[in-house]
Structures are given as structure tokens and as C-alpha cells.
Amino acid sequence: MSAVDVAFPYRVDARGRTASAAYADHVRDMVELVLFTSPGERVNRPDFGCGLLDLVFAGSSPELAATLEMTAQAALQRWLGDLLTVDSLTVTADEATLHVRVAYVLTATGENRTLTVSGGTGA
């Protein structure tokens, strides 16, 4: 935990300085970053991310949901394992929408947090 955590996405606050975020919000932002970054997107870390966005147009199915659960869990453990412990990660396919729910515990504070994101295929 640092004295000042940078808000994501990067922005400037009302004072013209880099916007900051509370520690728990900063970690939540990093969870979203891991989920929404596609492997190969980052030049210096080509294996960073889990490919959630790559699967948005794949059509939702129970098999896709199970695959995403495994890849997202592995990515969060690899990239944020020193900051949090994932209690549960569930992906549900509901017609043309995938819902991802991550429940985790912040290592530094012991605080339980939950993040839910949804994305549709537009079908």
C-alpha cells in the first residue's frame, strides 16, 4: 500500500494534478485492468491480461463461461496475487451477455470486496 495510489483510468483532478484513489479503489481498478486487457496488447508485457474482451463476440455459452473463469482466475493470481486473494470468480452466460463477478480479499487490509462486470455480444 503506497501513500498515494493513482486513479485509473489516468486523469487530472480539479487541482491540475494526477488524480488519486483510495487503496481499495486502486486495487479494484487494477482488477478491471487485468480483466479488460488482451494478451499481446502491451508491448513490454505481452502476456499481461486475460482476454475478456476477445471473447465478447464469441457468443455466450456455459463452455465459454468456464474457460473465462479459469483464465481470469489465473491472470488475477499471477498479476495481483501479492495484493489480493480471490475468494470466488464466477462467469455466467445469460443469452447474449456475460457477467463476471469477482469476490476478493485485500491482503494489506483484510477487507472483502466484490466487483461485477457485464458485457454483451449484441446478438
Side-chain angles (χ1 to χ4, degrees):
M1 201 161 37
S2 67
V4 176
D5 291 306
V6 176
F8 176 82
Y10 180 83
R11 61 188 172 276
V12 177
D13 67 13
R15 299 175 300 169
R17 298 180 180 158
T18 298
S20 60
Y23 178 72
D25 294 334
H26 177 69
V27 173
R28 183 205 61 232
D29 292 344
M30 290 192 295
V31 170
E32 289 182 12
L33 188 63
V34 170
L35 293 176
F36 291 119
T37 301
S38 297
E41 187 175 331
R42 295 213 167 169
V43 175
N44 292 328
R45 291 223 184 256
D47 51 343
F48 181 83
C50 78
L52 175 66
L53 292 180
D54 296 339
L55 301 175
V56 169
F57 297 107
S60 59
S61 69
E63 295 81 13
L64 177 65
T67 300
L68 188 54
E69 280 181 21
M70 290 178 20
T71 57
Q73 175 94 22
L76 289 171
Q77 179 61 37
R78 178 174 183 194
W79 297 108
L80 301 178
D82 58 332
L83 300 175
L84 58 86
T85 301
V86 176
D87 278 342
S88 67
L89 189 146
T90 56
V91 178
T92 54
D94 178 27
E95 295 184 17
T97 305
L98 283 175
H99 305 279
V100 180
R101 182 181 180 279
V102 183
Y104 58 93
V105 178
L106 296 173
T107 304
T109 64
E111 181 182 352
N112 291 306
R113 303 284 291 195
T114 303
L115 171 68
T116 304
V117 294
S118 297
T121 62

Short mmCIF file of all heavy atoms in Angstrom, two decimals, residues 20-53:
data_model
loop_
_atom_site.label_atom_id
_atom_site.label_comp_id
_atom_site.label_asym_id
_atom_site.label_seq_id
_atom_site.Cartn_x
_atom_site.Cartn_y
_atom_site.Cartn_z
N SER A 20 -5.89 10.88 -7.56
CA SER A 20 -5.54 9.76 -6.69
C SER A 20 -6.79 8.96 -6.36
O SER A 20 -7.91 9.41 -6.60
CB SER A 20 -4.86 10.25 -5.42
OG SER A 20 -5.73 11.11 -4.71
N ALA A 21 -6.58 7.78 -5.79
CA ALA A 21 -7.69 6.91 -5.42
C ALA A 21 -7.37 6.26 -4.08
O ALA A 21 -6.21 6.08 -3.74
CB ALA A 21 -7.90 5.83 -6.48
N ALA A 22 -8.42 5.91 -3.35
CA ALA A 22 -8.23 5.15 -2.12
C ALA A 22 -7.63 3.80 -2.49
O ALA A 22 -7.81 3.31 -3.61
CB ALA A 22 -9.56 4.96 -1.41
N TYR A 23 -6.93 3.18 -1.56
CA TYR A 23 -6.23 1.92 -1.84
C TYR A 23 -7.17 0.85 -2.40
O TYR A 23 -6.88 0.23 -3.42
CB TYR A 23 -5.53 1.40 -0.59
CG TYR A 23 -4.83 0.09 -0.81
CD1 TYR A 23 -3.68 0.04 -1.57
CD2 TYR A 23 -5.35 -1.08 -0.29
CE1 TYR A 23 -3.04 -1.17 -1.81
CE2 TYR A 23 -4.72 -2.30 -0.52
CZ TYR A 23 -3.57 -2.33 -1.27
OH TYR A 23 -2.94 -3.54 -1.51
N ALA A 24 -8.32 0.65 -1.76
CA ALA A 24 -9.26 -0.38 -2.22
C ALA A 24 -9.77 -0.08 -3.63
O ALA A 24 -9.92 -0.99 -4.45
CB ALA A 24 -10.43 -0.51 -1.26
N ASP A 25 -9.99 1.20 -3.93
CA ASP A 25 -10.43 1.58 -5.27
C ASP A 25 -9.32 1.38 -6.30
O ASP A 25 -9.57 0.99 -7.44
CB ASP A 25 -10.91 3.03 -5.29
CG ASP A 25 -12.15 3.24 -4.45
OD1 ASP A 25 -12.92 2.28 -4.27
OD2 ASP A 25 -12.34 4.37 -3.96
N HIS A 26 -8.10 1.65 -5.89
CA HIS A 26 -6.95 1.45 -6.77
C HIS A 26 -6.80 -0.03 -7.13
O HIS A 26 -6.59 -0.37 -8.30
CB HIS A 26 -5.68 1.97 -6.08
CG HIS A 26 -4.43 1.77 -6.86
ND1 HIS A 26 -4.16 2.45 -8.02
CD2 HIS A 26 -3.37 0.94 -6.65
CE1 HIS A 26 -2.99 2.06 -8.50
NE2 HIS A 26 -2.50 1.14 -7.68
N VAL A 27 -6.95 -0.91 -6.16
CA VAL A 27 -6.86 -2.35 -6.43
C VAL A 27 -8.01 -2.79 -7.34
O VAL A 27 -7.82 -3.56 -8.27
CB VAL A 27 -6.82 -3.17 -5.13
CG1 VAL A 27 -6.89 -4.66 -5.42
CG2 VAL A 27 -5.55 -2.84 -4.34
N ARG A 28 -9.22 -2.28 -7.08
CA ARG A 28 -10.36 -2.58 -7.96
C ARG A 28 -10.05 -2.16 -9.40
O ARG A 28 -10.33 -2.89 -10.35
CB ARG A 28 -11.63 -1.88 -7.48
CG ARG A 28 -12.85 -2.24 -8.35
CD ARG A 28 -13.95 -1.19 -8.33
NE ARG A 28 -13.45 0.06 -8.85
CZ ARG A 28 -13.54 1.23 -8.24
NH1 ARG A 28 -14.12 1.33 -7.06
NH2 ARG A 28 -13.06 2.32 -8.78
N ASP A 29 -9.46 -0.98 -9.56
CA ASP A 29 -9.08 -0.51 -10.90
C ASP A 29 -8.10 -1.48 -11.55
O ASP A 29 -8.18 -1.76 -12.75
CB ASP A 29 -8.47 0.88 -10.83
CG ASP A 29 -9.46 1.96 -10.42
OD1 ASP A 29 -10.68 1.71 -10.48
OD2 ASP A 29 -9.00 3.05 -10.03
N MET A 30 -7.17 -2.01 -10.76
CA MET A 30 -6.19 -2.96 -11.31
C MET A 30 -6.84 -4.28 -11.69
O MET A 30 -6.46 -4.90 -12.68
CB MET A 30 -5.03 -3.16 -10.33
CG MET A 30 -4.16 -1.92 -10.21
SD MET A 30 -2.60 -2.19 -9.36
CE MET A 30 -3.15 -2.58 -7.72
N VAL A 31 -7.85 -4.71 -10.92
CA VAL A 31 -8.59 -5.93 -11.28
C VAL A 31 -9.26 -5.72 -12.63
O VAL A 31 -9.17 -6.57 -13.53
CB VAL A 31 -9.63 -6.30 -10.19
CG1 VAL A 31 -10.56 -7.41 -10.68
CG2 VAL A 31 -8.92 -6.73 -8.91
N GLU A 32 -9.91 -4.58 -12.81
CA GLU A 32 -10.54 -4.28 -14.09
C GLU A 32 -9.51 -4.24 -15.21
O GLU A 32 -9.76 -4.72 -16.32
CB GLU A 32 -11.29 -2.95 -14.03
CG GLU A 32 -12.54 -2.99 -13.19
CD GLU A 32 -13.29 -1.67 -13.19
OE1 GLU A 32 -12.98 -0.77 -14.00
OE2 GLU A 32 -14.20 -1.53 -12.36
N LEU A 33 -8.36 -3.68 -14.93
CA LEU A 33 -7.29 -3.60 -15.93
C LEU A 33 -6.86 -4.99 -16.37
O LEU A 33 -6.72 -5.26 -17.57
CB LEU A 33 -6.10 -2.83 -15.36
CG LEU A 33 -4.98 -2.47 -16.30
CD1 LEU A 33 -5.49 -1.56 -17.40
CD2 LEU A 33 -3.86 -1.80 -15.54
N VAL A 34 -6.68 -5.91 -15.43
CA VAL A 34 -6.30 -7.28 -15.79
C VAL A 34 -7.41 -7.94 -16.62
O VAL A 34 -7.14 -8.58 -17.63
CB VAL A 34 -6.00 -8.13 -14.53
CG1 VAL A 34 -5.86 -9.60 -14.87
CG2 VAL A 34 -4.73 -7.63 -13.85
N LEU A 35 -8.66 -7.76 -16.21
CA LEU A 35 -9.78 -8.38 -16.91
C LEU A 35 -9.94 -7.85 -18.34
O LEU A 35 -10.23 -8.62 -19.26
CB LEU A 35 -11.08 -8.19 -16.14
CG LEU A 35 -11.19 -8.90 -14.80
CD1 LEU A 35 -12.51 -8.53 -14.11
CD2 LEU A 35 -11.09 -10.41 -14.96
N PHE A 36 -9.77 -6.56 -18.52
CA PHE A 36 -10.06 -5.95 -19.82
C PHE A 36 -8.86 -5.78 -20.75
O PHE A 36 -9.03 -5.29 -21.86
CB PHE A 36 -10.75 -4.60 -19.62
CG PHE A 36 -12.14 -4.74 -19.08
CD1 PHE A 36 -12.47 -4.19 -17.86
CD2 PHE A 36 -13.11 -5.44 -19.77
CE1 PHE A 36 -13.75 -4.31 -17.35
CE2 PHE A 36 -14.39 -5.59 -19.27
CZ PHE A 36 -14.71 -5.02 -18.06
N THR A 37 -7.68 -6.17 -20.32
CA THR A 37 -6.52 -6.10 -21.19
C THR A 37 -6.35 -7.44 -21.91
O THR A 37 -6.41 -8.49 -21.30
CB THR A 37 -5.24 -5.78 -20.39
OG1 THR A 37 -5.42 -4.53 -19.72
CG2 THR A 37 -4.02 -5.70 -21.29
N SER A 38 -6.16 -7.36 -23.20
CA SER A 38 -5.96 -8.57 -24.01
C SER A 38 -4.49 -8.92 -24.05
O SER A 38 -3.64 -8.03 -24.24
CB SER A 38 -6.46 -8.34 -25.44
OG SER A 38 -7.84 -8.09 -25.44
N PRO A 39 -4.14 -10.20 -23.89
CA PRO A 39 -2.74 -10.59 -24.05
C PRO A 39 -2.23 -10.14 -25.42
O PRO A 39 -2.94 -10.24 -26.42
CB PRO A 39 -2.78 -12.12 -23.94
CG PRO A 39 -3.98 -12.38 -23.08
CD PRO A 39 -4.98 -11.32 -23.51
N GLY A 40 -1.03 -9.57 -25.42
CA GLY A 40 -0.45 -9.04 -26.64
C GLY A 40 -0.68 -7.55 -26.81
O GLY A 40 -0.07 -6.91 -27.66
N GLU A 41 -1.54 -6.97 -26.01
CA GLU A 41 -1.87 -5.55 -26.11
C GLU A 41 -0.75 -4.66 -25.57
O GLU A 41 -0.53 -3.56 -26.06
CB GLU A 41 -3.16 -5.29 -25.33
CG GLU A 41 -3.72 -3.91 -25.46
CD GLU A 41 -5.06 -3.75 -24.76
OE1 GLU A 41 -5.82 -4.73 -24.64
OE2 GLU A 41 -5.34 -2.62 -24.32
N ARG A 42 -0.01 -5.14 -24.60
CA ARG A 42 1.07 -4.38 -24.00
C ARG A 42 2.41 -4.81 -24.59
O ARG A 42 2.76 -5.99 -24.52
CB ARG A 42 1.09 -4.58 -22.49
CG ARG A 42 -0.16 -4.02 -21.85
CD ARG A 42 0.17 -3.51 -20.53
NE ARG A 42 -0.92 -2.70 -20.01
CZ ARG A 42 -0.96 -2.31 -18.78
NH1 ARG A 42 -0.02 -2.65 -17.94
NH2 ARG A 42 -1.95 -1.56 -18.37
N VAL A 43 3.14 -3.88 -25.10
CA VAL A 43 4.40 -4.18 -25.76
C VAL A 43 5.41 -4.80 -24.81
O VAL A 43 6.03 -5.81 -25.13
CB VAL A 43 4.99 -2.91 -26.41
CG1 VAL A 43 6.36 -3.19 -27.00
CG2 VAL A 43 4.05 -2.37 -27.48
N ASN A 44 5.58 -4.24 -23.64
CA ASN A 44 6.60 -4.72 -22.70
C ASN A 44 6.12 -5.87 -21.82
O ASN A 44 6.91 -6.47 -21.11
CB ASN A 44 7.08 -3.57 -21.81
CG ASN A 44 7.87 -2.55 -22.60
OD1 ASN A 44 8.53 -2.90 -23.58
ND2 ASN A 44 7.77 -1.30 -22.23
N ARG A 45 4.84 -6.17 -21.84
CA ARG A 45 4.27 -7.30 -21.09
C ARG A 45 3.23 -7.99 -21.97
O ARG A 45 2.03 -7.89 -21.74
CB ARG A 45 3.61 -6.82 -19.81
CG ARG A 45 4.58 -6.30 -18.79
CD ARG A 45 4.17 -6.83 -17.42
NE ARG A 45 5.01 -6.28 -16.38
CZ ARG A 45 5.97 -6.97 -15.81
NH1 ARG A 45 6.22 -8.20 -16.16
NH2 ARG A 45 6.69 -6.42 -14.86
N PRO A 46 3.69 -8.68 -23.00
CA PRO A 46 2.74 -9.27 -23.96
C PRO A 46 1.84 -10.34 -23.37
O PRO A 46 0.79 -10.63 -23.95
CB PRO A 46 3.65 -9.84 -25.05
CG PRO A 46 4.97 -10.01 -24.41
CD PRO A 46 5.08 -8.94 -23.36
N ASP A 47 2.18 -10.90 -22.22
CA ASP A 47 1.34 -11.93 -21.62
C ASP A 47 0.42 -11.38 -20.54
O ASP A 47 -0.33 -12.12 -19.90
CB ASP A 47 2.20 -13.06 -21.05
CG ASP A 47 3.31 -12.57 -20.13
OD1 ASP A 47 3.64 -11.37 -20.17
OD2 ASP A 47 3.86 -13.39 -19.39
N PHE A 48 0.40 -10.04 -20.34
CA PHE A 48 -0.47 -9.41 -19.35
C PHE A 48 -1.92 -9.45 -19.81
O PHE A 48 -2.23 -9.23 -20.97
CB PHE A 48 -0.04 -7.96 -19.12
CG PHE A 48 -0.87 -7.25 -18.08
CD1 PHE A 48 -0.58 -7.38 -16.74
CD2 PHE A 48 -1.94 -6.45 -18.47
CE1 PHE A 48 -1.34 -6.73 -15.78
CE2 PHE A 48 -2.70 -5.79 -17.52
CZ PHE A 48 -2.40 -5.93 -16.18
N GLY A 49 -2.84 -9.68 -18.89
CA GLY A 49 -4.27 -9.64 -19.18
C GLY A 49 -4.88 -11.02 -19.22
O GLY A 49 -4.21 -12.03 -19.01
N CYS A 50 -6.20 -11.06 -19.48
CA CYS A 50 -6.86 -12.36 -19.52
C CYS A 50 -7.70 -12.56 -20.78
O CYS A 50 -8.22 -13.65 -20.98
CB CYS A 50 -7.70 -12.59 -18.27
SG CYS A 50 -9.28 -11.75 -18.27
N GLY A 51 -7.86 -11.56 -21.61
CA GLY A 51 -8.56 -11.76 -22.87
C GLY A 51 -10.07 -11.71 -22.79
O GLY A 51 -10.75 -12.20 -23.68
N LEU A 52 -10.62 -11.11 -21.75
CA LEU A 52 -12.07 -11.00 -21.62
C LEU A 52 -12.69 -10.33 -22.85
O LEU A 52 -13.68 -10.80 -23.39
CB LEU A 52 -12.43 -10.22 -20.35
CG LEU A 52 -13.90 -9.89 -20.11
CD1 LEU A 52 -14.67 -11.18 -19.87
CD2 LEU A 52 -14.05 -8.96 -18.94
N LEU A 53 -12.09 -9.25 -23.30
CA LEU A 53 -12.64 -8.52 -24.44
C LEU A 53 -12.57 -9.33 -25.73
O LEU A 53 -13.38 -9.14 -26.63
CB LEU A 53 -11.93 -7.18 -24.62
CG LEU A 53 -12.18 -6.16 -23.51
CD1 LEU A 53 -11.41 -4.88 -23.79
CD2 LEU A 53 -13.65 -5.87 -23.36
#
